[in-house]
Amino acid sequence: MTFVFLVVMLMLAYVLIRYRARRGEDGEGSQVHGNAYLELTWTIIPILLLAYLAVPTVRAVFHLNDIPDDGPVMHVDVIGHQFWWEFRYTDPDLGIVTANELHVPVGTTVAFRVTSGDVIHSFWAPRLGGKVDAIPGRENRLWLRADQPGVYTGACAQLCGDSHAYMDFSVIAEPKDKFDAWVAEMKKPFTAPTDAEAQAGMQVFAQSCQSCHAIAGTDFKGVIGPNLTGLMLRQTIAALTLENNHDNLIRWVSDASAVKPGVKMPTALKSTGKPNNLGLSEDQVKAVVAFLETLK
């Protein structure tokens, strides 16, 4: 690119100096309109330049879709939703479904199939590589690999609605032993709560939340909202909008739309007065959160 810029600038400087108006030259310069040789020259040269640039570009684009075969490969389906990300680990030995926080082992290639459940989104983790659109009814492919441990923030790069700016995700790259420990935690059998408040919260959850959310090992099989298995293993909630702690869970469950405008999760707390809320009391919201806090 620098070479092309310099060549163009040199040619421009030459023309400006060579064909500048000189003292005593008041008439119109020679005209080249209709000169077939010049017309052909400035048509053919750009075509050749574009062809020269297109060949390596197209080759590189196809190469980006080739999954490297120099190491282990993990397969993950990515589904964009307004306004969160669903991650499904599809390898038979994993079978985990989670949301917004993607755990990967360092040095492992992760092959993604990316689609959308509603509108067009764009899956993008800038520090790990390229981005790809998540389009309803279509699967796009992308692979990434983190060579260093760390937390790599990603985002939706396609304007997708009111809370597009709150649709982040993170790729948590960790050593293989830590990743295996996370997998083991996620696959632990569900244990029903023994605390009275959490038990009450589970009943409220069954009445008001289970149609949208799933929890592995239970009869809660909803697929509209994020899968809540291992919720308390996550560092954040609401697609990285809030730190995952007790106060923020209360805030989020009570009135999600106050945190993320346009979110499809209904307001739970009756006293907000917002239409179509779940009609829960403050005690019921606290009980639901007490139940959610057992999911670890």
Side-chain angles (χ1 to χ4, degrees), residues 181-227:
W182 175 78
V183 171
E185 289 291 326
M186 289 293 291
K187 300 181 81 168
K188 277 172 47 178
F190 172 77
T191 303
T194 55
D195 175 78
E197 185 179 36
Q199 288 177 336
M202 186 173 174
Q203 292 179 359
V204 176
F205 187 93
Q207 296 167 358
S208 303
C209 311
Q210 59 89 24
S211 60
C212 293
H213 297 284
I215 299 173
T218 72
D219 293 331
F220 307 142
K221 306 293 185 186
V223 295
I224 297 175
N227 188 305

Side-chain angles (χ1 to χ4, degrees), residues 89 93-94 96 178-188:
Y89 295 72
D93 59 331
L94 295 176
I96 292 171
K178 287 190 175 180
F179 175 76
D180 290 341
W182 175 78
V183 171
E185 289 291 326
M186 289 293 291
K187 300 181 81 168
K188 277 172 47 178

Side-chain angles (χ1 to χ4, degrees), residues 79-161:
I79 304 170
H81 301 270
Q82 289 179 311
F83 301 93
W84 58 282
W85 295 97
E86 181 176 1
F87 300 123
R88 300 179 180 175
Y89 295 72
T90 58
D91 294 304
D93 59 331
L94 295 176
I96 292 171
V97 181
T98 188
N100 302 319
E101 294 183 6
L102 178 72
H103 288 250
V104 301
V106 171
T108 294
T109 298
V110 185
F112 296 103
R113 288 189 303 188
V114 182
T115 187
S116 170
D118 38 50
V119 301
I120 297 177
H121 304 279
S122 186
F123 180 75
W124 187 30
R127 291 172 58 201
L128 292 178
K131 61 184 173 183
V132 65
D133 282 348
I135 302 173
R138 176 173 175 173
E139 289 183 352
N140 285 328
R141 311 268 176 165
L142 175 74
W143 65 267
L144 300 173
R145 180 166 60 196
D147 294 320
Q148 298 293 330
V151 179
Y152 301 84
T153 302
C156 176
Q158 174 68 45
L159 183 62
C160 60

